Structures are given as C-alpha cells and as structure tokens.
Amino acid sequence: MTTGLIPGEQPPDPRSSSMRPPHQRQGGDGQGTPHVDNRSRSSVITARAAASFEPVGRSVATARSFVRDTLQGWGFADIIDDAVVLTSELVTNAVVHAGTHADVLCLRSDDGVRIEVADRYPEREIPLQGSLASMGSPDREGGRGLQLCAAIAGRWGVDYTPTHKHVWFQLDLPDRPVGTRAAGPSLPADLLPLADSRVRVAVVQIDRTGAISAWNEDAEELFGYPADQVTGKPLTDLAAWPHTPGTGTGVAEALQLSRWEGSYGIRGITGRVTPVYASHLRVRDTDGEPSTVCLLVRDHERAVLQTPLRVPASDTAPADGQSADPFEVFIGSPAPDDLDGLLQRTVERARDMLDGDSAFLLLATDDETELEVRASTGLPSARQRFARVPVEAGPGRYGSARMPAVHEDLAAVPGAVPLLNGTGMRSVVTVPLKVEGRLTGSLGVAAEGAGRYSNEEALRLQFAADRIALAVESARLGELERLRRGSLSFLVEASDLLAGTLDRDQTLALMAQMTVPTLATWCAVYTIADQASEPYLSYVLHEDEELIDGIKSLLSKVSPPDPVPTPGARVWTAPGEAAHEAALRKSMRSLGLTGGPTHQVASGIGPTLATAHAVGGETVVLPLVARNRVIGMLTLGKPTDEHFRQEILELAEDLSRRAALALDNARLYSERTAISQSLQRSLLPPGLPTIDGVEVDVIYRAAGEGNEVGGDFYDVFPISDGAYGFAIGDVCGTGPHAAAVTGLARHALRLLAREGLSGPAVLERLNSAILDEGDRSRFLTLLYGEMRPQEDGSAKLKVVCAGHPLPLRLRQDGTVEPAADPQPLLGVIEDLELYEQTITLDPGDVLLCVTDGVTERREGTRMLGDDGLADVLSTCTGLTAGAVAARIMRAVERFASDAPSDDMAILAMRVA
C-alpha cells in the first residue's frame, strides 16, 4: 500500500466533466435514480489523502483502516462509520470481484468529504437505464456498493476513463451549533439553583496525548486522588463515558474539539463513579503545544458551568403577532441535535415547569411492552439509564403508562412507580408520549412532598409532552439509524478479526476485546469442552485492568450459568449478588463487627468494594452456539445501577454468533493439528542409539504448515552382535499420503534387518510390500546400510543405494567422494537385482547422507546440486557429526530466500 497526505492542496481534476460525453458520467442524489453528474466543483479542497491497495483480500480491511484513520485525523467522527461501510464495499468490488489494484482518494472540503475508489477494470460498467432496482438484488454477490452509495451518500457517481473506473461519493458534515454568550436576569434567592455550601470546581488539564498534566486541589477533594497519583495517566482511565457505537461523541473525540460541554462520570479512588458536569476548552501554550482544560463540578451543580441558552428576540416577541412555537418555548432554541441532549433538556424543563424535585423520561420498546429509562434529573442515583419497567404495571388507568396518572402520595401505594422506589419522592405525575396514537414514551415529574400535583398539573405536562413527542421520536429514529450503521461497521471489523486466526486462545482474547468497552464494561467467556463437561471460565476482561483479577476470583466462586441453547441474552444475577455479599462481609470485618482483627482485612476492602461496584450492574449471558451445540457462554456486565440497551444486546447477539463459529473452528483446527502431529510423531524413530566410536546426528525438516513428518524419513537402529542398521529415504510427494508410505518403509526395514537378511534382500522384500499397496503405492528412493565398528577404531559399512542421492565421504584431508554407486529405486518394477558395496571409514572420516530436498534447493534458475553439497562438505573437516549436519542445513537455508518446498533430511556419521 502506498499513501500520500497533502494538506491544503487543491489539485486539478484530470477527469473534468468537459472531457467525456454525458453518458459516461452516472450518479445519484440519494433518491435511488441515476442521473447525469452536475455536481459543483467550486468547493475548496483543504486536504487530501491517497492510498493504493493490492488485489488481495486483506486489502479491504487495510482500506477501511486508512479511511477511518484519515477522517479521525480530520475530526470528522460523525461520518466515519458511513464512509467505512461504503469504502469497504467499493474496495471489495475492485480487489475481489474486478481483481485489480484499488486507488482510494479522500478529499476534505469546507462542506463535506469526498471519497473516490478507482479500479483498473473500466469494462465493468453499471446499467445506464432503469432504476436502482435493476442493479440486482441485495443478496447478489456484486452491485451492493452502488446501492449503498445511493442509500447513504449525499451525492455519488461513476466516472470512466480508458484505463480506470472511478466510483465516488460525498458525505456532508452535520451542522454543529456554535457557542453563544448570554446573561440572565436577576432572580430572587429562592429561585436560584441549589449547590453545596462550598462549590468545588475541579480543574484538570489534558495534554495532546490524552494524559492528565495538571490536577488541582478541588479535583483531589472531589475524587480522592492526589495529583502525583493521576498525573501522566490517560483521562480515559478515570472517565465513565456514556458512549455506544455509532452514537454520540467519544471521550477522545471530545478532547479534540475546541469547546465541549456535557455530563459524564469520574471514577473516584474508592471505585465509585461521581456524576459530573464538564466544560472543556482547547488551548495552546506560547510554544504552540495544544492541550485541553477541563472544568468539572458535581452534576447537580451544573448551573455553575452550563452555558445559558440564548433565546432570540423573535422567539419571545414575534414580529407578526403570532404565538411562538410551543416546542421551542418548552425546549428552548436552539434545540439539542442529539437524542440524549434533547431528553435531558426535556426532563430538566419539565421539572422546572412543575417546580418538582426530580423528573424522568422513558422510551417505549418496539413492541410497546416495556419502557426504558433514558433520562432523569434530581434522583439519588444517576446511573439508572436503560433500566426497564413494564408498560402495564397493574390494573386500572393508574397502572398503565398509556394514560396520564397523578399519585398524591406514593407512601399509600408503594411500588406504583418502580423507578421512584427508595428515592424519598411522595407525589408524582406521569403522562404518555404518543405519535399518531402509538405509545413512544412516558414523562414524569415527582416531588418530595405529598399532594403537590393534581389534574391541572397533569394537563400542563401532557400539553408539553404532546409538543415534544414527535421531536423525540424523530431523534430516536435518527439514533437507531446511526447505531445501525455503526453496528454494521463494527460487525464487519469483528468478522475480519475473527476470521484471521485459528488459534483458540487468540480467538477468546479477540471476543473479549471486541466487547469491552464497546458493548460492556466487563466480559467473561465460558467454554464447554464436550456435552458431559461443565462450563469452564476461560477468559475475563475489564476496561480497568486492575479489576480483572478480582472479577476472575469472584466468578471462580460462583456456579457458572446454565448452558441453555435458547438464542438471545438472559439476565444472570449471581455475580452481582455474590459481589455485594463479599463486600458486605469485608466491610463488617473492617469495622470489627465479627470480632476479628481489623488490620488484617483493611487493605483488602478497597479492591472488594471496587469489584462489587464493577459487577454490581446488569449482567447478561449469551450462548455460543456452533453446529447445533452450545460450546460456551459470553457474559457481559455493567457497573452498579447500569443496564444494557436493547440495541446493544442485539448487536452482542450478532457478535456471539460469529464468535461461536470462529471459536469452534479454532477448536476443530487445534484438535486436527494435535491428532496429525501425534500420528506424525509416531512415524519418527524414538531416538538415536549410542554407538561406541561413532558419532551420529540427524536434522529433519518436513515441508508444509503443521507437518512434522512428510515423505522423507531416516532411521538408525541396532541389529545384533554390535551391528547397526541405518537408512535414509524419500517417498514420492509430501504430506500425509507420503507419510503413510514412510511408516510402512521404516518399520519394514527394522523387521527385515533383524531377521538376518542381507541389505539387497531387505530392499527386495520392501519393494514387494510397496507394490502390494496397489493404487496407494508410491515409488521410493532409499539408502540402506549396515555398520559394524572395528577394534582398530574404524567402521565397516555395507551400503545399498536404490535410486537415492549418493552418500558422500569426507576424509580427514578434506577430499570428498561418493561412497556408493546408483541402483534402481523401489516401488516401480517387481524384479530387482540389487547388490551391496563395502566401504571402510577411518577415524575422523564422515559419511553424509541427504535427501533430494537438500540437493535440489533452488533460487531462481540456480540449484545447489551434488557439486554444491560437496563444496560445503569439504569445509567441515574436523567438525563433529552434529556440527557437520548444522553447517549443511545453514548452507541450504541461505541458498534461497523462499521457504523450502520439499522435505529435507540430513544424516551425518563420523568415526571418532
């Protein structure tokens, strides 16, 4: 891949529209109908990035990473997921279907981002007539890239040149409201926002790497950390950021913005999360070094930092005398452009409108059977998001969220509003949010005093709810669409990662790393070896590495979840209950309530409380089902009081299906490899015998991944009366088929030699056994000999060389010569007439025997050959047998840069 980045350049466009006839330019306006490209080229290109990708499958993932990194660097996080999905489809068309290089060009302008994908197959055109439906079904292998462009991009098109085809699309940037200044009127003291007697403003400075560089005294007081303990740590280690894939802005992105305001949490030294309201300002010092100054207060004191809303004069006093928009009057102008901001603004305005102490808003699920908490203010716990309550909580109108309800005193009807249990709220009014008669949510306001609300307040709140229901539903659908696109990009990346490995441990690690922190705060993976085995805790991960050991210890003491094959997520309460019980026991011991010494447990209470908080939220289990069998469970968890969104659970379910298949493939591959290697090892000699006066050493390399034995083999074994047999052979081919003949040859040699047969007789009988295999037989080259050490220190050898590379003898003076004559190979003809030759090795002589994988080692047109092997052997005078074999192997490996394509065996024997 080659890339280039040229900021600020506006290159000339070589494919000007005036250079081609109109029928060669086809585009879309996002409405589904191709048309002539009349797009404007007047926008200024402020930066460009280009890359070229080879026509191989891995280039698709590399192209996605290139586009993601480029847009992230430009600060365009809002459109990254759409750009990645479209680029993935178009690059796939180029490198997979067209089989050519793909050139990707990213252009940044003042109104959006344009991305071009070019391939070198201009003949692959698209239909020029008809609607997008004529491009084919979405289930087809090709053509989906253009359909996605039409559905997602603001503008798109296809340009042709004699050598290239360019598919381009443009994504417009969302409007972002700029900061405003405003002043509020003087208010009576009883109308001022509440704050603690001592308002503390934490001032935290973050350097360009995202690490904390400054931490004031108020920050230490609010969160418990001294400055020296947090300086240099990333802010992400402390921030509990409410971010899900495809929606909102992440903490790293927020730190790069010039100005940002909003709510999130900071994990204190005790492990508890403190909700804060923050104002971020991006600055630079005199040397030009950028950093971000973060001002943080407790969330209920947000009025200290929150920028007041500016209401235009036209909104308060319309020029035409008409009344202002009720929605803007209630929400304020400008309205938040994201769902979470709109919901939070809604509950705050509803609370203020009815002078309540708290307010909450719930959104209905698609089937309208449950309500999900999405925003609240004034409640003791701000960590109740995504908790669910039934729409029909009881009989009567007050038990249904479909009708307005007023409870004058909750103490008289405990449990009437489950969300307010234990909050101290006494009176509450709730009203439904409906769009075209369909329930979309519920809005409620509560107060600590009894009898605060009546039907009059219910009518006022219902009037406001009717004005905002459509805006809330529109924002919710927009969030779901962004989440869907983000989920698609997430699953594409996950599938690529899972398909890239067949290692079981790495697959388990990938499963956990893809879920944490994107989908959950912590994750545990249980595996099941077989139907009779219990689930085994195989992997645990938490976004805070310091909590992993505590969670692992806790889960090891809890019975694993039942391996139920039913698809979908189910709630598992055991970890949260066990964590709270353990934390309670340690807390009581630390207070001396059990009579034991307190100093022995005081040091452990911190981690226990932190572990209890980490797993104290909602925990769900998803089965890992592959090939109709449960092979494990994926467990996802949230901290205390946090719940999963239904969209996240659906995304996790999709991921679990892909992960289960990848994990089962890794298991099958590991089992196959273990069996193969075990069988192959059984074909190798158990060991080399010790021969008095003779050094023997062997080096063996089998070709092919995962192979320990191939078509080459060797053996050295005792026969009788001080005689030893040795053999080195080569079966035609490599891999398991050749290894089968290897086992036959090696074991037959031992049996026949120990029957007292001569070398020629042994090989003639082996030849008959190979021919008896019929169609499974393979021809075999074999060097077989018998060696008998002599009393004078020499060794006498009888050798038969049946079609094998000749053995080489190295004398002490450095001369090298063949030690046998060639004879016919085995497994071809029935009647063989073989003979044996007798040689004597003097002290210091070396006999080298190799297979043809050594002599036929190639580099281009060059081959090592017999002469090259003899030249290397001539430099081995005075070396031991092991050193001779090692030098030969090094010479063979260095002769060519490619991996060996044939099995290799080297047998060296030296008379000491």
Side-chain angles (χ1 to χ4, degrees):
M1 182 187 79
T2 58
T3 63
L5 180 62
I6 309 174
E9 180 181 355
Q10 185 177 7
D13 191 344
R15 301 180 304 280
S16 174
S17 59
S18 63
M19 297 176 63
R20 291 180 303 281
H23 71 273
Q24 287 184 314
R25 301 186 306 275
Q26 189 172 6
D29 58 359
Q31 302 302 319
T33 303
H35 66 276
V36 176
D37 175 21
N38 294 319
R39 63 188 183 279
S40 171
R41 296 185 180 270
S42 60
S43 58
V44 177
I45 303 300
T46 57
R48 69 190 296 268
S52 180
F53 304 92
E54 298 178 353
V56 293
R58 64 176 180 273
S59 293
V60 179
T62 309
R64 287 197 296 266
S65 299
F66 164 70
V67 172
R68 183 181 297 277
D69 295 343
T70 299
L71 299 189
Q72 187 72 47
W74 290 348
F76 296 156
D78 295 333
I79 61 175
I80 283 179
D81 289 325
D82 289 349
V84 167
V85 170
L86 295 180
T87 302
S88 178
E89 289 291 335
L90 297 179
V91 172
T92 299
N93 290 342
V95 304
V96 176
H97 302 308
T100 76
H101 282 72
D103 302 321
V104 180
L105 174 64
C106 302
L107 299 174
R108 182 183 69 185
S109 64
D110 51 1
D111 59 350
V113 171
R114 173 186 167 109
I115 297 179
E116 299 182 2
V117 178
D119 65 48
R120 302 168 192 181
Y121 191 8
E123 292 83 2
R124 267 180 87 93
E125 299 189 359
I126 63 173
L128 297 179
Q129 70 278 353
S131 65
L132 283 175
S134 64
M135 294 183 188
S137 168
D139 297 329
R140 289 186 54 212
E141 183 67 20
R144 290 174 296 184
L146 299 178
Q147 290 180 324
L148 284 176
C149 286
I152 296 177
R155 287 177 289 172
W156 68 279
V158 183
D159 298 337
Y160 293 97
T161 68
T163 58
H164 289 72
K165 180 184 72 186
H166 299 261
V167 181
W168 62 270
F169 61 89
Q170 180 161 329
L171 299 174
D172 298 328
L173 300 178
D175 295 331
R176 295 173 178 171
V178 297
T180 60
R181 292 185 178 181
S186 300
L187 295 175
D190 57 348
L191 296 181
L192 296 176
L194 292 175
D196 292 347
S197 58
R198 165 74 164 87
V199 177
R200 299 187 181 275
V201 180
V203 181
V204 182
Q205 192 158 4
I206 312 298
D207 62 22
R208 70 188 312 162
T209 66
I212 298 172
S213 59
W215 183 269
N216 72 341
E217 294 180 358
D218 280 0
E220 180 177 346
E221 181 67 24
L222 287 175
F223 311 121
Y225 299 103
D228 56 353
Q229 188 172 342
V230 296
T231 301
K233 287 187 175 182
L235 179 64
T236 52
D237 288 357
L238 306 180
W241 197 269
H243 180 53
T244 54
T247 63
T249 303
V251 58
E253 299 162 353
L255 293 175
Q256 298 299 318
L257 299 177
S258 60
R259 185 179 293 275
W260 183 89
E261 282 189 26
S263 298
Y264 53 92
I266 295 293
R267 291 186 179 86
I269 195 170
T270 62
R272 298 185 63 84
V273 175
T274 301
V276 298
Y277 188 83
S279 176
H280 296 176
L281 177 65
R282 189 78 166 159
V283 298
R284 60 184 175 92
D285 59 19
T286 54
D287 297 328
E289 182 69 16
S291 62
T292 302
V293 177
C294 305
L295 306 180
L296 302 97
V297 296
R298 296 181 181 93
D299 192 61
H300 66 272
E301 298 174 337
R302 61 170 57 204
V304 176
L305 298 180
Q306 191 170 32
T307 301
L309 296 174
R310 180 179 63 184
V311 180
S314 60
D315 289 341
T316 57
D320 57 3
Q322 297 180 0
S323 61
D325 183 357
F327 171 77
E328 291 189 356
V329 170
F330 181 73
I331 294 297
S333 180
D337 58 355
D338 64 297
L339 178 62
D340 288 338
L342 178 61
L343 299 183
Q344 191 63 37
R345 181 83 61 81
T346 298
V347 296
E348 291 171 357
R349 291 300 175 89
R351 178 196 60 189
D352 296 342
M353 182 179 72
L354 298 186
D355 193 23
D357 296 311
S358 64
F360 51 89
L361 192 150
L362 304 87
L363 294 183
T365 56
D366 292 338
D367 57 4
E368 297 184 19
T369 60
E370 290 183 306
L371 295 169
E372 188 176 60
V373 180
R374 291 301 302 269
S376 64
T377 182
L379 295 179
S381 174
R383 314 296 292 178
Q384 294 287 343
R385 289 187 65 189
F386 312 123
R388 292 195 169 196
V389 296
V391 170
E392 308 292 342
R397 59 169 292 179
Y398 284 177
S400 173
R402 302 181 186 277
M403 298 292 291
V406 177
H407 293 278
E408 295 183 354
D409 191 353
L410 290 177
V413 281
V417 183
L419 182 63
L420 300 181
N421 291 344
T423 63
M425 300 297 162
R426 297 283 299 277
S427 55
V428 60
V429 53
T430 61
V431 296
L433 276 68
K434 293 185 177 181
V435 175
E436 297 180 351
R438 182 174 58 87
L439 180 69
T440 60
S442 177
L443 177 63
V445 178
E448 295 179 354
R452 288 279 302 274
Y453 302 119
S454 63
N455 288 339
E456 182 179 352
E457 284 78 17
L459 289 175
R460 292 178 59 195
L461 189 61
Q462 185 67 71
F463 180 82
D466 292 342
R467 298 302 178 272
I468 66 169
L470 185 60
V472 169
E473 181 67 3
S474 177
R476 186 184 73 88
L477 293 177
E479 181 193 59
L480 289 177
E481 178 64 16
R482 290 191 297 272
L483 181 61
R484 184 191 63 80
R485 295 181 180 181
S487 300
L488 178 61
S489 176
F490 172 78
L491 291 175
V492 167
E493 298 279 359
S495 298
D496 273 359
L497 290 173
L498 291 171
T501 179
L502 286 173
D503 181 81
R504 176 184 176 277
D505 294 337
Q506 188 174 1
T507 302
L508 290 172
L510 285 174
M511 290 171 56
Q513 291 166 8
M514 285 185 292
T515 57
V516 177
T518 305
L519 304 181
T521 306
W522 64 273
C523 166
V525 183
Y526 290 85
T527 57
I528 303 175
D530 52 59
Q531 298 289 352
S533 301
E534 291 293 326
Y536 174 75
L537 182 61
S538 299
Y539 202 91
V540 175
L541 184 65
H542 190 280
E543 61 182 8
D544 185 352
E545 294 183 357
E546 296 180 356
L547 297 177
I548 294 178
D549 291 339
I551 296 176
K552 188 181 299 184
S553 175
L554 175 70
L555 293 178
S556 65
K557 301 174 183 177
V558 177
S559 299
D562 296 330
V564 179
T566 306
R570 67 181 192 276
V571 177
W572 186 33
T573 60
E577 295 171 354
H580 285 97
E581 291 177 3
L584 180 60
R585 287 195 299 269
K586 279 216 169 183
S587 298
M588 294 178 64
R589 287 200 299 267
S590 67
L591 297 174
L593 299 180
T594 59
T598 60
H599 66 277
Q600 296 180 358
V601 297
S603 60
I605 188 172
T608 301
L609 291 176
T611 302
H613 180 270
V615 302
E618 188 174 42
T619 302
V620 298
V621 178
L622 297 105
L624 298 175
V625 181
R627 298 174 176 91
N628 298 321
R629 186 175 72 87
V630 180
I631 62 171
M633 285 87 71
L634 178 63
T635 303
L636 306 180
K638 288 282 191 178
T640 299
D641 294 332
E642 286 201 28
H643 297 264
F644 286 98
R645 297 184 58 181
Q646 184 63 28
E647 294 82 2
I648 294 298
L649 293 179
E650 292 173 357
L651 180 58
E653 187 177 354
D654 285 341
L655 176 63
S656 68
R657 286 194 291 265
R658 291 165 169 79
L661 188 58
L663 184 61
D664 200 46
N665 288 339
R667 177 187 63 83
L668 294 175
Y669 178 79
S670 299
E671 291 179 357
R672 193 205 71 174
T673 300
I675 294 172
S676 174
Q677 292 177 348
S678 177
L679 292 175
Q680 291 182 66
R681 281 193 293 269
S682 69
L683 301 177
L684 295 174
L688 297 177
T690 301
I691 304 176
D692 293 338
V694 179
E695 299 173 356
V696 180
D697 208 326
V698 173
I699 295 180
Y700 184 86
R701 298 284 189 274
E705 182 180 358
N707 289 333
E708 294 189 7
V709 175
D712 291 4
F713 67 94
Y714 68 91
D715 201 358
V716 180
F717 54 92
I719 299 177
S720 63
D721 300 332
Y724 294 85
F726 64 91
I728 184 168
D730 184 1
V731 179
C732 173
T734 60
H737 297 294
V741 181
T742 295
L744 169 65
R746 192 178 69 80
H747 291 95
L749 280 175
R750 287 198 171 204
L751 291 174
L752 295 172
R754 287 172 177 170
E755 290 295 324
L757 301 177
S758 64
V762 169
L763 269 59
E764 289 169 1
R765 284 167 173 75
L766 176 59
N767 179 65
S768 299
I770 294 174
L771 292 174
D772 289 341
E773 290 293 307
D775 295 338
R776 297 181 298 176
S777 67
R778 291 168 175 253
F779 65 79
L780 167 68
T781 68
L782 179 63
L783 172 66
Y784 172 74
E786 296 180 3
M787 176 177 56
R788 189 182 297 273
Q790 304 297 309
E791 294 181 358
D792 59 358
S794 63
K796 185 176 181 181
L797 284 73
K798 296 180 179 180
V799 180
V800 181
C801 186
H804 198 77
L806 300 180
L808 299 180
R809 176 180 182 177
L810 171 64
R811 297 183 181 274
Q812 296 186 62
D813 58 2
T815 60
V816 177
E817 60 185 8
D821 297 330
Q823 299 184 58
L825 52 76
L826 307 181
V828 178
I829 58 177
E830 294 185 1
D831 297 327
L832 288 180
E833 295 183 1
L834 302 175
Y835 58 90
E836 62 184 9
Q837 298 172 269
T838 302
I839 59 173
T840 301
L841 296 181
D842 297 326
D845 288 356
V846 175
L847 184 69
L848 177 68
C849 310
V850 301
T851 57
D852 60 3
V854 174
T855 56
E856 295 180 1
R857 179 74 162 145
R858 294 180 179 274
E859 175 68 19
T861 59
R862 299 185 307 119
M863 186 173 71
L864 180 62
D866 296 334
D867 294 338
L869 178 63
D871 292 340
V872 177
L873 182 59
S874 65
T875 65
C876 299
T877 304
L879 299 181
T880 63
V884 171
R887 178 170 293 187
I888 298 297
M889 180 56 73
R890 283 197 302 270
V892 173
E893 291 174 342
R894 293 173 179 174
F895 186 80
S897 57
D898 296 336
S901 59
D902 195 5
D903 305 325
M904 294 187 294
I906 301 173
L907 171 62
M909 295 182 292
R910 177 179 179 273
V911 179

